[in-house]
Amino acid sequence: MAHPLLAHAHDPEFLKTHLQYADWDSKYVFSPPAPASLFIQLARKTQVIVDRCGRIIGVLIAPPLPGEEWESIVQAATTAMREARDKMTFPVGAYHHRRSYSDGFPTGSQGFAFGGGRENLGNIKASSAWNAAAMEELLEDPNVVRMTTYPIRPLFLPYQAFCYLIFADYHTTKQVLVRKNPGLRRTFTRSPFAAVTVNLGPVSVSLPHTDAANKADGMCLIGALGSFDADKGGQLVCWDYDLIIRFPPGCSILIPSAVVTHSNTPIRDGEERFSIIQYTAGGLFRWVANGFQSDRSWLASASAEDLARREEERKARCADALKKFPLWKDVKVRNFSGRGRVEVWDSGDVTDFSNLTDCESEGERPAKRKRQT
């Protein structure tokens, strides 16, 4: 069912008034009145989007460095994006696709995937050798690498912390595939994602869409670059959340893009906006689950027992998928994997029980452990 406000997708001031607005830069903790479907909790420099049951269904990842220092990295990465686009050649049709708005924007991709018409697992191919070389140079630029990997670096772990089970699923699947297929092209060091797409601007503003080829119970990482006033445009609209988010250059956001309709609001004339999206195609997970073959090949050789087992797995798929989205109350006590809270308390791994969510109560607070002497 289409959102009733889709006709106003390109009017940020209207959407700020009629949707929940997350003024991210001001560290504002938004808590809408019931029966709103979600709210945002402040977690150090990063904010999370949670549903009514406290599941984390989005993460707004703040920059890891002070303003001016990070701004220089963002500006350099923006310059690298602009130069890469100028080195590439695109047919007219490359600017206009289902995600593009107005004059459109070209894209470039790298990594590996399965599905979308592919008969086999393989690397994503550029439209020309010239474009492939420019894309390779762009993804090796140190400022682009810094911008795209700060949410997954060892010393700054919002993805692992806030989406541990999803991260583990992505990381394990990627490692299994790369070990079995050494020729697969990786994107960034330590990245759990199999592929990256860059929206090369100069006005990378997307229409409302979902990325149906991505994993439904997963997250994609969106990074914004460019030079634009984030108060006036470039906001990320998550239509299924009734939420519009201030999304300034140099910040990143994790959302389940396969199931959440999202878009950007337009930027002003003369401004630039680029974006970098990291993701893993859902077909890769099915390829591994099928014993490194397609659904068609698996079905051709599946026994009656295999089909019965697959049907039972299908019935539990939705419930199993929801379990991968962690609860905020577990993350607050560093219970990133979602193991039983009593087990966490017994191990003494308790740090913060303030700001309990609506799904918690003071009765859940464990007794303080006495210091042993």
Side-chain angles (χ1 to χ4, degrees), residues 133-148:
M135 187 70 180
E136 191 79 27
E137 182 180 352
L138 173 65
L139 298 185
E140 290 177 352
D141 182 274
N143 297 292
V144 172
V145 171
R146 189 76 173 93
M147 171 64 199
T148 54

Side-chain angles (χ1 to χ4, degrees), residues 355-371:
N355 300 322
L356 298 176
T357 71
D358 289 344
C359 293
E360 295 181 274
S361 67
E362 289 292 336
E364 292 188 65
R365 189 188 299 267
K368 292 185 178 180
R369 297 171 63 89
K370 294 183 179 180
R371 185 185 299 273

Side-chain angles (χ1 to χ4, degrees), residues 41-339:
Q41 291 272 9
L42 184 64
R44 295 184 180 177
K45 294 190 298 182
T46 291
Q47 298 184 28
V48 297
I49 307 173
V50 300
D51 66 12
R52 287 183 176 182
C53 293
R55 295 187 194 92
I56 296 176
I57 54 175
V59 187
L60 318 184
I61 307 171
L65 297 174
E68 291 186 3
E69 186 176 356
W70 187 247
E71 180 62 27
S72 65
I73 293 174
V74 172
Q75 290 178 358
T78 297
T79 298
M81 294 280 280
R82 189 185 305 117
E83 292 176 348
R85 184 193 64 228
D86 292 343
K87 292 176 182 178
M88 297 182 185
T89 58
F90 304 98
V92 175
Y95 285 76
H96 300 282
H97 40 85
R98 69 182 184 89
R99 296 180 180 87
S100 63
Y101 165 73
S102 186
D103 293 333
F105 54 87
T107 66
S109 298
Q110 186 170 292
F112 59 91
F114 174 72
R118 294 180 178 85
E119 294 295 328
N120 210 329
L121 174 70
N123 291 321
I124 299 172
K125 296 181 179 180
S127 58
S128 68
W130 187 264
N131 285 9
M135 187 70 180
E136 191 79 27
E137 182 180 352
L138 173 65
L139 298 185
E140 290 177 352
D141 182 274
N143 297 292
V144 172
V145 171
R146 189 76 173 93
M147 171 64 199
T148 54
T149 60
Y150 83 86
I152 50 180
R153 290 172 69 87
L155 298 180
F156 189 71
L157 305 176
Y159 188 20
Q160 290 93 318
F162 293 109
C163 309
Y164 177 81
L165 295 178
I166 295 174
F167 172 87
D169 193 16
Y170 276 50
H171 176 76
T172 301
T173 299
K174 181 179 179 180
Q175 294 306 310
V176 167
L177 289 170
V178 169
R179 283 196 296 267
K180 192 171 181 64
N181 305 271
L184 293 177
R185 177 176 294 173
R186 305 190 191 197
T187 53
F188 302 106
T189 302
R190 297 190 180 92
S191 173
F193 299 102
V196 58
T197 291
V198 292
N199 293 330
L200 292 166
V203 182
S204 297
V205 173
S206 296
L207 293 169
H209 68 282
T210 58
D211 301 306
N214 294 350
K215 197 169 191 290
D217 55 339
M219 294 275 195
C220 81
L221 180 62
I222 307 170
L225 289 169
S227 178
F228 61 93
D229 186 342
D231 292 316
K232 302 297 183 181
Q235 294 97 344
L236 179 69
V237 185
C238 294
W239 294 94
D240 299 291
Y241 297 166
D242 283 338
L243 181 66
I244 176 172
I245 304 168
R246 186 180 186 275
F247 194 3
C251 293
S252 297
I253 295 180
L254 283 163
I255 60 169
S257 64
V259 295
V260 174
T261 301
H262 55 286
S263 64
N264 304 112
T265 57
I267 57 177
R268 297 183 298 178
D269 292 343
E271 294 181 330
E272 285 184 305
R273 185 182 186 276
F274 304 87
S275 57
I276 304 176
I277 300 94
Q278 299 181 69
Y279 57 95
T280 299
L284 292 176
F285 298 89
R286 295 193 298 274
W287 179 271
V288 173
N290 290 336
F292 305 100
Q293 58 184 322
S294 66
D295 288 338
R296 182 184 302 175
S297 298
W298 184 87
L299 286 170
S301 59
S303 65
E305 291 78 9
D306 291 333
L307 294 173
R309 184 168 56 253
R310 180 62 59 91
E311 176 61 19
E312 291 303 313
E313 292 173 353
R314 185 193 65 79
K315 292 178 180 178
R317 187 177 301 163
C318 183
D320 291 341
L322 286 175
K323 292 177 183 177
K324 292 182 181 178
F325 292 88
L327 295 173
W328 171 239
K329 63 183 181 181
D330 288 332
V331 171
K332 286 197 301 181
V333 296
R334 299 182 183 178
N335 181 12
F336 304 129
S337 63
R339 58 199 172 105

Side-chain angles (χ1 to χ4, degrees), residues 28 34 38 242 245 327 342 346 353-354 364:
Y28 177 66
L38 57 89
D242 283 338
I245 304 168
L327 295 173
V342 173
D346 287 345
F353 280 87
S354 62
E364 292 188 65

